[in-house]
Amino acid sequence: MLALIPLFPLLGFLFNASFGRRVPKTVSGGVASLVMLASFAVAAMSVWQLAGLPVEERVIDQTLYTWIASGDFVLDLTLRLDPLSAVMILVITGIGSLIHIYSTAYMHDEPDSEYARYFSYLNLFAAFMLVLVLGASFLVLFVGWEGVGLCSYLLIGFWFKKKSASDAGKKAFVVNRIGDYAFILGTLLLFTHFGTLDFRQLADAVAPLPPEATFGTLSIATLLLFIGATGKSAQIPLYVWLPDAMEGPTPVSALIHAATMVTAGVYMIGRTAVVFTHAPDTMLIVAIIGALTALMAGTIGLVQNDIKRVLAYSTVSQLGFMFLAMGMGAFGAGIFHLYTHAFFKALLFLGSGAVIHALHGEQDIRNMGGLKKQLPVTYWTFLIGSLAIAGVPFLSGFFSKDEILFETFAHGHWILWGIGALTSLLTATYMFRLVFLTFHGERREGAIASGSHLHDAPPAMAFVLIVLAIGSVLAGYVGVPHALGGSNLLGAWLEPAFGIMPAAGEEEAGLELMLMAVSSTIALVGIGLAAFIWLKRREIADSMARSFSGLYNLLLNKYYVDEIYDAAIVRPTVVLSTDVLWRGFDVRVVDAAVNGAGTIVGASASMLRRLQTGSVRAYASSLFVGVVLILGYYLWR
Amino acid sequence: MMPLLTLSWLVPLAGGLLLMLIGNGDGRRNGLIRWLTLAISLVAFVVTLALWAGFDSASAEFQFVERQPWIPAFGIDYYVGIDGISLLLVVLTSFLTPIALLSSWGSIDKKVKEFSIFMLALEAAMIGVFISLDLFLFYVFWDAMLIPMYFLIGIWGYDQRIYAAIKFMLYTMAGSVLMLVAILGLAYLHSAATGSYSFDLLKLYALDIAPQTQMWFFLAFAIAFAIKVPLFPFHTWLPDAHVQAPTAGSVILAGVLLKMGTYGLVRFAFPLFPIAAAYFAPWLALLAVIGILYGALVAMVQPDMKKLVAYSSVSHLGFVVLGICAMNVQGLQGAVYQMLAHGVSTGGLFLMVGMLSDRRHTRLISEFGGLKAVMPRLTAAFMIITLASIGLPGLNGFVGEFLILLGAFRWDPRYVVAAGLGVILSAVYMLWMFQRVFYGPVTNDENASLPDLQPREWAAVLPLCAMAIVMGVFPTLFLKPMEPAVQKLVQRAQSVQTLQVKAAPKLPAKVHIKLVKAVD
């Protein structure tokens, strides 16, 4: 039955890829959405079945067939449902279905064939992501891993006539490939040491070992896997593709940022939690990279003017939080944040899509403002999403983010906690800068279609926004911490999947409550700060940008990382390849030598041509003569 | 029982002879000749499928063996047989030939008869190479293969065809001579040991060759095959030959001919001279890894699509050689698998580049752009093959590449660290080309009205796309028949390697005798 979960969207892909251009939009969009709902239904039933099992037996395997077999390397195509993949498939198919439904309205202006192509890619994306999380071994996971890379390439570059779009798609694929390279090396290293690629067998083999005191095999292997994760989940140094990925249609950004793709890296670390916990050095690196990425992306998000770009950097930042959690060994907290983030980030992206839809493609928040009245549904749902991501108490983001900060503090990493807290402040500030600039105040000059009547989200889009807004409020209640009298159901549910669980003791409840108070205050201060600057005293923002113009430009240009990569890696490679290798070595050295030899042979051939008629026969005969001479020498010496 | 194996190369050869009888002075029977040639190549394909059907996948022995004395005085026989490795390569050959013929349907319109004869003769010779178990016979087929290829490039090629054809001929002839000397030398060694000449591969396998002698013989074979692969730095004939060859020639050249070199390494150089092979393997692997990166980097900056694909072949074949050098089951199976996969995907790439070139009479990437909007079907097929070439899991390229990397990693991880970078680069150069050709707006008016795939072109493209998917999803279909043969080769090599071969050239003779006995 597990196989049906990715199979449904795959069939949807095949249908729309083959017949999509010949059927009306209602059929292609309808089929695509229905297969996702069917997949969601099967996923829900499977999870129900899983939940019915006793805690220690909560694993359902389905082996389809032997995929690759070579000597002692035998790899079955096995799907596995356990508490971790259960959470993931519900997020993917649930949020995924909503994004499909939303898309039926959002993409309605595309011609039939493009509409079908869009939905075929969207289905394929979901199918690969489901394979990724259901795969029971590194290699099956890798099928999904590469598959979502491909789909992001196709979807980001969906409007292929736009160069920036196809550039962004290619960048996503190539940057991901760099991570994949490390991922494969890590996989090979683990296989050569433990003789298996199956996650469970690997965990069983690693579990009895002591954690590595020095930087050994497990540390190297996990570090390589983590580099793979930085590619997929947009962490330093491989995050550069994600902000560009907003070149794709907006629902695609929602899909990439919320339900699929970028969560893959976090998920993968959760999946191999046992191995990671045996490599404390790597864990610390994961946590540090996560915290730094969160901070860096937060600072960039503060000054961006493109509504989607702000959200993109916020995703990078939130993913940093998740990695911080993973690095702390708080796998449950990381996955919890992944899950709540899926709701509010999908909501925010789809909300921004509704804004862009209403403004006929305008994405610059400097040209917006005052949309509150004209787009009420969009406004209120967007506001809820912003409150949730900012960590305002009792919304979903509050619970998950606090758990991460608490775990970090409880592990004694107060510097990392400080970075996390500062990032929380930034999150609240840049999100509400976005809200205030977009929805509050007056419509600003230069705005396209200003004065005309704007249409709020059409029914299919509004429905999805409302569902997601409800989710953003309520999703956190599956993980209410003990300190607040909850029972952290999600944490308990996930526990067996990670093998080990550093449970927070009851005696720390006081500390946890105190930290909650601190971060709630931070969130409110952040919102207040944004309100003060961008609602009350807009000129402060401008004067600050002017007085700190160096810093402002540094942030606006995203620390010039793209430019540095281009100058340090891309250009030198092209120059090396063109001038040194191709025109230098190939043409000047090797070919010159061969042509020289050719001239000599040609000259001797032209002498022989007096005896023979054609040059090939001349070569053949000279060859023959030579052979006879050599042979003669060899036989009769 | 029918001599199926002989039929597999005799059918195309006899078909070629049959075509000679048809008068086609003014080209009025071109249609008939095209259909007839296609039919003959399909019959040959069916024959090779029958081989597969009758093949015992569990056996490592040569099957369908046929043997007739040919030149008894020198111990030369007509001696053919196939194991799992050669079976698959024979099927690849007969699979690609009809596709190559379809690709030339519209683009070749001068001397159609001669073209068809050369194509069929080429097929016969290629199959002959894969099935020969007598080294002399092997050499005859090997050189026979060059002649039709030379003419295919030289007569039906593009502007600089003569230069390319001669360069191709020079390079491979140079290798051939070395190999011939080594083959004759082997027969001589056999006579020195047993008193009679023999070119029988299995007898020569059993020959006890001194390590020092092995070194020279191995080098002669290895250089001949390295040129054919082509291994860096012997690769410069390849881009010229490919760019100048007609589409059908490129498809066959990339699809089958490039595998001759790696097949030769697997069948002859490594098992005949295991001690020398183990000694040289790290160096060969080093060249392979350089080739992987070099080919990929140079491919990246090519302005000409055909040249780009040609250089990408240098990169892909580097993987194959790396797998062979690892000499373990995964490495070798991966290598053979990659040979098949590369045949399908690079054959497909040349096929479709040829279709673009037929339409526009240029292969420059900068002349294209935005074709996705004009020809969506070709774009979709090109995408699939591009992804196969990049090694996306679920398509054919991944299986071979992964097994090679796994095998090489178990041998020496350092090679994999370097070779793996090729995986990144392949995505760069392929997707960059794809972007520049198919994405963006249509900038050149000449591209605005290009026709999409025609039914005949579909017939050529579809089997390749289907095969790319089947080989990616069900690789065991192909891995299984070859596994026993691969195991046998690996056992032979490893029993030598375990006995400390790195010092082999300095081993005293006595130790060496023991060593060889252990091998058998």
Side-chain angles (χ1 to χ4, degrees):
Chain A
M1 189 159 85
L2 287 182
L4 286 178
I5 300 172
L7 199 62
F8 273 121
L10 186 67
L11 290 174
F13 158 73
L14 290 175
F15 174 81
N16 271 329
S18 329
F19 312 110
R21 58 176 60 239
R22 273 169 247 148
V23 297
K25 282 179 196 159
T26 40
V27 176
S28 48
V31 166
S33 306
L34 280 177
V35 292
M36 283 304 293
L37 287 169
S39 176
F40 178 66
V42 179
M45 283 192 290
S46 306
V47 174
W48 183 254
Q49 192 191 345
L50 185 75
L53 297 170
V55 175
E56 48 305 334
E57 289 168 26
R58 276 185 190 153
V59 175
I60 300 174
D61 272 6
Q62 186 186 9
T63 299
L64 298 175
Y65 64 97
T66 300
W67 183 27
I68 302 178
S70 169
D72 60 343
F73 177 80
V74 178
L75 191 102
D76 289 333
L77 193 59
T78 302
L79 302 179
R80 176 171 299 152
L81 187 68
D82 73 344
L84 177 59
S85 44
V87 173
M88 297 299 295
I89 57 171
L90 289 179
V91 170
I92 296 163
T93 55
I95 309 268
S97 298
L98 291 173
I99 293 171
H100 277 71
I101 294 168
Y102 177 97
S103 296
T104 55
Y106 189 84
M107 297 299 284
H108 213 267
D109 295 339
E110 296 287 327
D112 281 3
S113 65
E114 296 304 284
Y115 193 77
R117 184 165 69 89
Y118 172 82
F119 276 103
S120 70
Y121 292 166
L122 220 53
N123 274 170
L124 189 65
F125 207 144
F128 275 126
M129 192 65 200
L130 289 163
V131 170
L132 193 159
V133 295
L134 286 171
S137 64
F138 277 100
L139 225 49
V140 181
L141 179 145
F142 193 67
V143 173
W145 188 269
E146 288 275 282
V148 293
L150 164 69
C151 293
S152 66
Y153 166 76
L154 295 171
L155 279 168
I156 295 167
F158 181 75
W159 285 310
F160 60 87
K161 287 180 187 166
K162 242 168 90 188
K163 177 141 192 320
S164 58
S166 64
D167 274 345
K170 190 184 64 194
K171 185 173 175 184
F173 196 92
V174 170
V175 172
N176 267 290
R177 267 270 156 144
I178 298 172
D180 298 346
Y181 159 71
F183 182 85
I184 278 286
L185 286 182
T187 303
L188 292 173
L189 187 59
L190 286 173
F191 180 76
T192 36
H193 270 80
F194 298 101
T196 179
L197 287 179
D198 185 282
F199 293 120
R200 271 179 90 78
Q201 289 173 11
L202 181 68
D204 290 345
V206 172
L209 303 174
E212 273 184 354
T214 55
F215 206 80
T217 308
L218 286 178
S219 301
I220 296 172
T222 48
L223 187 63
L224 289 166
L225 294 180
F226 173 60
I227 294 174
T230 62
K232 209 100 292 180
S233 291
Q235 297 294 293
I236 294 172
L238 298 180
Y239 69 93
V240 288
W241 66 271
L242 189 62
D244 289 14
M246 53 151 214
E247 285 290 344
T250 306
V252 171
S253 305
L255 193 65
I256 291 176
H257 289 248
T260 62
M261 185 88 179
V262 296
T263 57
V266 183
Y267 162 80
M268 189 267 293
I269 292 183
R271 177 51 76 215
T272 49
V274 176
V275 188
F276 271 86
T277 42
H278 281 76
D281 290 345
T282 309
M283 289 288 271
L284 190 60
I285 294 173
V286 172
I288 292 172
I289 292 281
L292 289 179
T293 308
L295 181 64
M296 178 215 62
T299 54
I300 298 176
L302 209 49
V303 301
Q304 297 301 311
N305 292 319
D306 184 304
I307 185 168
K308 285 170 78 180
R309 207 172 263 275
V310 175
L311 293 176
Y313 278 102
S314 115
T315 303
V316 176
S317 180
Q318 297 301 308
L319 287 165
F321 269 108
M322 296 175 210
F323 279 101
L324 175 61
M326 297 322 245
M328 286 294 115
F331 302 107
I335 299 296
F336 186 23
H337 197 53
L338 185 161
Y339 153 82
T340 57
H341 178 257
F343 285 92
F344 50 72
K345 190 45 66 63
L347 172 59
L348 290 169
F349 261 114
L350 296 181
S352 77
V355 171
I356 296 166
H357 195 71
L359 296 179
H360 305 287
E362 178 60 70
Q363 297 189 190
D364 194 326
I365 49 176
R366 287 170 300 189
N367 297 336
M368 297 178 186
L371 298 176
K372 189 168 90 174
K373 288 207 184 65
Q374 282 166 301
L375 309 174
V377 178
T378 309
Y379 169 67
W380 286 106
T381 51
F382 198 91
L383 184 66
I384 291 171
S386 303
L387 290 168
I389 194 174
V392 168
F394 309 113
L395 294 171
S396 59
F398 165 75
F399 295 112
S400 53
K401 199 186 283 178
D402 270 353
E403 196 177 331
I404 293 172
L405 289 174
F406 165 64
E407 293 277 359
T408 310
F409 198 90
H411 281 78
H413 293 283
W414 55 270
I415 297 182
L416 293 178
W417 177 85
I419 295 177
L422 179 60
T423 308
S424 291
L425 179 73
L426 291 173
T427 309
T429 310
Y430 67 67
M431 279 314 300
F432 276 84
R433 168 179 175 260
L434 192 60
V435 171
F436 295 143
L437 287 180
T438 308
F439 293 102
H440 290 254
E442 295 298 318
R443 284 300 293 281
R444 282 178 286 282
E445 284 178 37
I448 297 170
S450 62
S452 67
H453 182 67
L454 300 178
H455 294 280
D456 200 358
M461 286 160 62
F463 164 75
V464 170
L465 292 176
I466 292 166
V467 171
L468 284 170
I470 296 170
S472 300
V473 175
L474 299 179
Y477 287 90
V478 298
V480 178
H482 298 280
L484 286 177
S487 52
N488 198 357
L489 284 173
L490 189 76
W493 164 259
L494 285 170
E495 228 166 274
F498 304 131
I500 352 160
M501 194 70 184
E506 291 291 324
E507 65 278 6
E508 289 178 301
L511 175 67
E512 192 171 355
L513 283 176
M514 196 193 79
L515 289 173
M516 271 181 196
V518 171
S519 52
S520 305
T521 315
I522 287 174
L524 296 174
V525 167
I527 296 171
L529 199 62
F532 179 70
I533 299 176
W534 285 285
L535 276 187
K536 285 252 152 53
R537 310 279 294 276
R538 179 74 50 76
E539 66 280 5
I540 294 182
D542 299 331
S543 67
M544 267 165 61
R546 254 178 277 115
S547 44
F548 298 99
S549 64
L551 180 67
Y552 178 76
N553 281 323
L554 186 68
L555 294 182
L556 192 65
N557 290 296
K558 306 157 279 176
Y559 297 100
Y560 297 99
V561 172
D562 278 323
E563 287 77 5
I564 293 168
Y565 283 179
D566 192 54
I569 300 167
V570 179
R571 273 163 211 277
T573 312
V574 171
V575 171
L576 169 84
S577 306
T578 315
D579 296 338
V580 181
L581 298 182
W582 178 33
R583 299 226 164 86
F585 186 77
D586 250 34
V587 176
R588 293 230 180 84
V589 180
V590 181
D591 269 5
V594 174
N595 290 342
T599 315
I600 294 166
V601 175
S604 49
S606 62
M607 282 191 286
L608 283 165
R609 198 175 292 146
R610 287 169 203 159
L611 303 171
Q612 304 288 335
T613 47
S615 64
V616 175
R617 287 170 72 181
Y619 288 141
S621 53
S622 63
L623 172 73
F624 183 72
V625 171
V627 166
V628 169
L629 287 177
I630 297 166
L631 183 64
Y633 168 77
Y634 216 89
L635 292 177
W636 285 283
R637 65 182 166 162
Chain B
M1 209 185 100
M2 281 218 298
L4 270 184
L5 209 48
T6 299
L7 276 180
S8 70
W9 69 272
L10 213 53
V11 165
L13 187 69
L17 294 175
L18 181 74
L19 289 182
M20 285 187 186
L21 303 177
I22 300 176
N24 189 32
D26 47 4
R28 74 200 131 84
R29 294 214 182 92
N30 280 353
L32 171 73
I33 288 172
R34 284 183 181 128
W35 281 107
L36 200 58
T37 315
L38 185 65
I40 293 163
S41 71
L42 287 174
V43 171
F45 181 51
V46 171
V47 171
T48 59
L49 285 184
L51 285 173
W52 197 345
F55 188 82
D56 175 9
S57 289
S59 164
E61 300 305 313
F62 286 98
Q63 302 177 32
F64 299 99
V65 172
E66 293 169 41
R67 186 167 206 162
Q68 295 291 331
W70 183 15
I71 312 175
F74 293 101
I76 297 170
D77 292 343
Y78 170 75
Y79 179 26
V80 293
I82 49 173
D83 64 359
I85 298 171
S86 28
L87 167 76
L88 292 171
L89 289 165
V90 166
V91 174
L92 175 74
T93 309
S94 65
F95 172 72
L96 284 177
T97 303
I99 290 172
L101 287 170
L102 280 173
S103 79
S104 56
W105 212 267
S107 53
I108 302 290
D109 45 14
K110 63 168 185 178
K111 299 188 183 169
V112 174
K113 183 172 106 178
E114 287 76 8
F115 177 82
S116 305
I117 293 170
F118 281 129
M119 285 294 287
L120 290 174
L122 183 61
E123 182 181 11
M126 292 188 299
I127 291 176
V129 166
F130 289 131
I131 62 174
S132 297
L133 294 179
D134 182 287
L135 261 71
F136 192 85
L137 183 67
F138 167 76
Y139 185 79
V140 170
F141 279 125
W142 178 273
D143 266 10
M145 200 167 65
L146 296 182
I147 297 160
M149 200 42 163
Y150 172 84
F151 285 112
L152 284 174
I153 299 175
I155 298 177
W156 290 275
Y158 293 93
D159 320 339
Q160 291 188 307
R161 53 185 181 269
I162 302 295
Y163 170 74
I166 290 177
K167 198 168 171 184
F168 166 75
M169 201 71 173
L170 264 181
Y171 258 106
T172 38
M173 278 279 189
S176 290
V177 175
L178 276 175
M179 187 168 70
L180 179 60
V181 174
I183 288 176
L184 297 175
L186 268 178
Y188 172 77
L189 283 182
H190 190 269
S191 121
T194 63
S196 66
Y197 292 109
S198 176
F199 291 85
D200 177 335
L201 181 65
L202 300 184
K203 281 189 191 160
L204 295 174
Y205 273 170
L207 209 56
D208 173 9
I209 308 171
Q212 207 65 53
T213 319
Q214 285 201 15
M215 299 296 156
W216 292 108
F217 276 91
F218 180 83
L219 277 181
F221 272 96
I223 291 175
F225 295 136
I227 291 173
K228 206 79 182 167
V229 170
L231 198 64
F232 175 90
F234 307 108
H235 63 276
T236 66
W237 65 269
L238 182 74
D240 284 315
H242 266 308
V243 169
Q244 298 305 325
T247 301
S250 291
V251 171
I252 294 297
L253 194 56
V256 188
L257 245 68
L258 295 191
K259 278 77 202 179
M260 296 297 171
T262 44
Y263 174 76
L265 289 175
V266 172
R267 176 72 73 224
F268 303 102
F270 273 70
L272 276 171
F273 320 107
I275 296 172
Y279 180 77
F280 283 113
W283 300 102
L284 219 52
L286 184 67
L287 288 181
V289 170
I290 293 175
I292 291 171
L293 300 178
Y294 186 95
L297 286 171
V298 178
M300 193 171 68
V301 295
Q302 294 305 312
D304 179 312
M305 283 191 276
K306 262 190 150 179
K307 242 181 182 162
L308 190 153
V309 181
Y311 274 108
S312 84
S313 291
V314 176
S315 188
H316 284 148
L317 269 295
F319 274 103
V320 178
V321 174
L322 178 62
I324 295 171
C325 289
M327 251 311 141
N328 48 34
V329 177
Q330 287 88 26
L332 200 50
Q333 269 202 292
V336 178
Y337 206 86
Q338 176 82 341
M339 284 153 87
L340 303 173
H342 178 265
V344 170
S345 38
T346 307
L349 285 176
F350 276 121
L351 186 72
M352 285 186 272
V353 168
M355 290 172 184
L356 291 177
S357 155
D358 285 349
R359 284 166 169 73
R360 280 292 321 280
H361 302 288
T362 177
R363 303 171 308 267
L364 288 180
I365 295 171
S366 56
E367 285 287 318
F368 294 93
L371 294 190
K372 186 175 167 66
V374 184
M375 30 200 340
R377 294 200 173 84
L378 179 76
T379 310
F382 206 103
M383 181 92 249
I384 292 175
I385 298 293
T386 297
L387 295 172
S389 171
I390 287 175
L392 198 82
L395 295 171
N396 57 1
F398 175 73
V399 180
E401 225 164 70
F402 181 79
L403 286 175
I404 289 168
L405 291 178
L406 179 61
F409 198 93
R410 288 179 144 187
W411 177 46
D412 189 338
R414 288 172 301 177
Y415 293 110
V416 178
V417 172
L421 292 172
V423 175
I424 303 174
L425 291 173
S426 73
V428 176
Y429 63 75
M430 288 308 295
L431 292 183
W432 195 22
M433 169 170 81
F434 192 86
Q435 181 191 20
R436 285 176 291 167
V437 173
F438 294 100
Y439 288 161
V442 180
T443 45
N444 191 329
D445 288 342
E446 285 186 65
N447 293 327
S449 56
L450 294 180
D452 205 347
L453 287 179
Q454 308 297 304
R456 173 187 58 78
E457 295 174 320
W458 257 131
V461 169
L462 213 56
L464 290 171
C465 290
M467 195 46 85
I469 295 169
V470 170
M471 284 183 71
V473 179
F474 303 107
T476 43
L477 288 177
F478 307 87
L479 288 169
K480 220 170 169 188
M482 70 165 104
E483 181 151 353
V486 166
Q487 294 270 16
K488 197 175 171 188
L489 282 168
V490 169
Q491 274 160 18
R492 185 182 162 80
Q494 279 180 348
S495 54
V496 177
Q497 277 174 350
T498 46
L499 287 169
Q500 284 297 316
V501 212
K502 287 214 162 156
K506 294 156 207 146
L507 283 181
K510 269 186 193 167
V511 181
H512 169 65
I513 290 163
K514 275 187 208 155
L515 216 137
V516 171
K517 282 194 178 135
V519 172
D520 301 319

